[in-house]
Amino acid sequence: MLDRIAHRGRAWNGIHEQGRVILARNYGRADVGSSVDDTVATPAGLLSETAKICYDGEIGNGADLADDLGVTAGPWREERLLLHLYESHGPDMFERMGDAIFAFVISDGEKLLAARDVLGIKTLFYGRRNG
């Protein structure tokens, strides 16, 4: 599947397998901005203590929210912000997000949360294998 959507960006890509879940993501240069050089390895699932994320989007109040929650500036800030919100609030995290366009999957290897913005602006592909 990752090869089928290669046209969406191959500046960084990766696959992360954990438990029953496989996450994969193609990142285009526009997804992460100019603050990341080509030597930075980007896992498909940005790591936290328990959860991994694949994300595409833009959170309207993301910078202010990240500042308020102590999520440091730098590459993958919105991914780190979403993981923080998920680990702190679970599915109620959406109440804290302002205007946003997004598609993401967060998983601990057993459970997963897959979400898209209301308008479905960002694409989200998923599949099931063997149940």
XYZ file of all heavy atoms in Angstrom, residues 19-60:
301
model
N 2.802 -5.228 17.874
C 1.653 -6.063 18.213
C 0.846 -6.405 16.984
O 1.372 -6.863 15.977
N -0.438 -6.126 17.036
C -1.346 -6.448 15.931
C -1.475 -5.331 14.914
O -2.257 -5.430 13.982
C -2.737 -6.742 16.481
C -2.779 -7.911 17.425
C -4.114 -8.110 18.105
N -5.137 -7.161 17.719
C -6.415 -7.463 17.572
N -6.836 -8.665 17.751
N -7.286 -6.523 17.246
N -0.714 -4.250 15.079
C -0.900 -3.062 14.252
C 0.360 -2.754 13.443
O 1.474 -2.853 13.943
C -1.257 -1.841 15.138
C -1.374 -0.580 14.309
C -2.551 -2.106 15.900
N 0.168 -2.396 12.191
C 1.241 -1.919 11.325
C 0.871 -0.516 10.881
O -0.221 -0.290 10.351
C 1.420 -2.812 10.081
C 1.731 -4.251 10.490
C 2.519 -2.252 9.170
C 1.676 -5.235 9.332
N 1.748 0.439 11.137
C 1.538 1.819 10.702
C 2.532 2.126 9.594
O 3.685 1.718 9.672
C 1.784 2.799 11.852
C 0.927 2.653 13.103
C 1.405 3.634 14.172
C -0.526 2.891 12.786
N 2.103 2.860 8.595
C 3.001 3.261 7.511
C 2.640 4.673 7.082
O 1.474 5.067 7.103
C 2.875 2.305 6.327
N 3.657 5.433 6.679
C 3.411 6.829 6.327
C 4.464 7.314 5.355
O 5.638 7.066 5.527
C 3.459 7.674 7.608
C 3.394 9.163 7.415
C 1.978 9.632 7.084
N 1.861 11.073 7.236
C 1.977 11.930 6.253
N 2.213 11.516 5.034
N 1.842 13.209 6.458
N 4.030 8.019 4.327
C 4.914 8.763 3.432
C 4.840 10.225 3.845
O 3.755 10.791 3.920
C 4.444 8.673 1.971
C 4.718 7.339 1.351
O 5.614 6.635 1.769
N 3.937 6.979 0.354
N 5.981 10.823 4.111
C 6.042 12.248 4.425
C 6.672 12.971 3.254
O 7.784 12.630 2.843
C 6.911 12.515 5.661
C 6.295 12.080 6.963
C 6.434 10.787 7.421
C 5.586 12.985 7.737
C 5.884 10.392 8.628
C 5.030 12.605 8.950
C 5.183 11.307 9.387
O 4.641 10.915 10.571
N 5.998 13.977 2.719
C 6.592 14.849 1.717
C 7.314 15.987 2.405
O 7.085 16.271 3.581
N 8.202 16.641 1.708
C 8.948 17.754 2.302
C 7.994 18.808 2.853
O 8.223 19.373 3.912
C 9.891 18.377 1.290
C 10.547 19.631 1.871
C 11.906 19.940 1.356
N 12.901 18.926 1.408
C 13.636 18.633 2.510
N 13.423 19.243 3.629
N 14.557 17.718 2.452
N 6.900 19.073 2.181
C 5.950 20.086 2.646
C 5.287 19.686 3.962
O 4.822 20.542 4.711
C 4.889 20.335 1.588
N 5.258 18.385 4.281
C 4.632 17.920 5.513
C 5.393 18.351 6.762
O 4.813 18.470 7.837
C 4.518 16.392 5.539
C 3.573 15.861 4.480
O 2.631 16.581 4.116
O 3.782 14.723 4.022
N 6.698 18.532 6.640
C 7.500 18.802 7.833
C 8.235 20.126 7.776
O 8.841 20.538 8.745
C 8.515 17.671 8.105
C 7.793 16.396 8.450
C 9.444 17.469 6.932
N 8.180 20.799 6.662
C 8.811 22.107 6.547
C 10.309 22.017 6.356
O 10.884 20.945 6.199
N 10.945 23.147 6.400
C 12.371 23.213 6.097
C 13.253 22.974 7.313
O 14.457 22.933 7.198
C 12.704 24.582 5.494
O 12.358 25.594 6.421
N 12.657 22.791 8.497
C 13.464 22.639 9.704
C 14.064 21.245 9.846
O 14.836 20.995 10.749
C 12.624 22.963 10.939
O 11.553 22.050 11.043
N 13.699 20.319 8.972
C 14.217 18.964 9.038
C 15.079 18.714 7.818
O 14.635 18.911 6.692
C 13.062 17.932 9.084
C 13.611 16.526 9.103
C 12.190 18.190 10.291
N 16.319 18.293 8.036
C 17.164 18.010 6.880
C 17.015 16.550 6.473
O 16.398 15.745 7.173
C 18.627 18.390 7.144
C 19.280 17.564 8.232
O 19.022 16.339 8.301
O 20.062 18.133 9.009
N 17.578 16.190 5.341
C 17.395 14.861 4.781
C 18.070 13.755 5.577
O 17.857 12.587 5.309
C 17.914 14.827 3.333
C 17.032 15.660 2.407
O 15.842 15.829 2.717
O 17.547 16.142 1.391
N 18.881 14.092 6.567
C 19.546 13.053 7.351
C 18.717 12.607 8.552
O 19.078 11.658 9.232
C 20.914 13.555 7.863
O 20.688 14.657 8.749
C 21.807 13.977 6.718
N 17.603 13.277 8.817
C 16.770 12.909 9.962
C 15.946 11.688 9.603
O 15.200 11.691 8.635
C 15.835 14.076 10.363
C 14.876 13.638 11.460
C 16.651 15.271 10.803
N 16.096 10.640 10.389
C 15.300 9.430 10.166
C 13.904 9.655 10.717
O 13.744 10.136 11.825
C 15.952 8.244 10.861
N 12.908 9.310 9.940
C 11.530 9.505 10.357
C 10.832 8.166 10.437
O 10.545 7.560 9.412
C 10.779 10.387 9.348
O 11.499 11.585 9.182
C 9.391 10.687 9.839
N 10.556 7.692 11.631
C 9.785 6.454 11.718
C 8.349 6.708 11.294
O 7.865 7.823 11.395
C 9.862 6.096 13.200
C 10.048 7.407 13.875
C 10.850 8.263 12.922
N 7.699 5.660 10.819
C 6.285 5.798 10.485
C 5.503 6.141 11.730
O 4.573 6.918 11.692
C 5.760 4.503 9.885
N 5.867 5.569 12.843
C 5.182 5.850 14.093
C 6.105 6.626 15.004
O 7.049 6.075 15.533
N 5.862 7.910 15.141
C 6.655 8.708 16.056
C 6.464 8.137 17.450
O 5.360 7.858 17.861
C 6.191 10.159 15.997
C 7.041 11.171 16.733
C 8.380 11.355 16.030
C 6.319 12.490 16.815
N 7.549 7.978 18.179
C 7.477 7.237 19.424
C 7.129 8.096 20.626
O 7.588 9.217 20.765
C 8.829 6.558 19.693
C 9.358 5.664 18.581
C 10.696 5.082 18.992
C 8.387 4.570 18.240
N 6.312 7.553 21.494
C 6.131 8.055 22.841
C 6.365 6.839 23.728
O 6.780 5.792 23.248
C 4.729 8.634 23.045
O 3.789 7.603 23.253
N 6.071 6.940 24.995
C 6.278 5.786 25.873
C 5.393 4.603 25.480
O 5.818 3.463 25.560
C 6.011 6.176 27.327
C 7.080 7.081 27.901
C 8.438 6.416 27.948
O 8.527 5.222 28.324
O 9.415 7.095 27.583
N 4.157 4.882 25.074
C 3.231 3.787 24.813
C 2.605 3.809 23.428
O 2.244 2.765 22.912
C 2.086 3.789 25.837
O 1.419 5.055 25.777
C 2.596 3.557 27.250
N 2.442 4.969 22.841
C 1.661 5.068 21.608
C 2.518 5.523 20.435
O 3.530 6.188 20.605
C 0.496 6.036 21.803
N 2.086 5.153 19.243
C 2.726 5.558 17.991
C 1.683 6.296 17.164
O 0.489 6.081 17.313
C 3.219 4.341 17.210
C 3.938 3.278 18.028
C 5.178 3.783 18.704
C 5.834 2.672 19.493
N 5.761 2.793 20.913
N 2.153 7.150 16.254
C 1.209 7.941 15.448
C 1.663 8.036 14.000
O 2.858 8.099 13.711
C 1.042 9.368 16.036
C -0.059 10.144 15.289
C 2.355 10.122 16.032
C -0.459 11.440 15.962
N 0.707 8.028 13.100
C 0.882 8.450 11.713
C -0.122 9.582 11.524
O -1.303 9.432 11.854
C 0.571 7.329 10.737
S 1.831 6.078 10.644
N 0.343 10.712 10.984
C -0.488 11.922 10.976
C -0.238 12.733 9.725
O 0.877 12.828 9.234
C -0.128 12.750 12.220
C -0.591 14.184 12.193
C -1.926 14.506 12.375
C 0.317 15.220 12.016
C -2.343 15.836 12.378
C -0.097 16.546 12.020
C -1.427 16.844 12.199
O -1.834 18.144 12.202
N -1.302 13.333 9.239
C -1.216 14.338 8.190
C -2.260 15.388 8.526
O -3.420 15.056 8.770
C -1.502 13.724 6.822
C -1.319 14.710 5.684
O -0.680 15.763 5.889
O -1.821 14.437 4.581
N -1.861 16.640 8.567
C -2.848 17.658 8.845
C -2.268 18.961 9.330
O -1.069 19.200 9.262
N -3.173 19.783 9.819
C -2.810 21.078 10.371
C -3.847 21.428 11.433
O -5.041 21.447 11.169
C -2.808 22.133 9.274
C -2.336 23.473 9.731
C -2.262 24.466 8.583
O -2.029 24.052 7.436
O -2.452 25.659 8.856
N -3.356 21.701 12.637
C -4.229 22.048 13.752
C -4.185 23.558 13.904
O -3.123 24.126 14.167
C -3.778 21.353 15.043
C -3.753 19.838 14.833
C -4.698 21.729 16.205
C -3.085 19.077 15.942
N -5.316 24.203 13.727
C -5.369 25.667 13.737
C -4.795 26.289 14.993
O -4.063 27.263 14.936
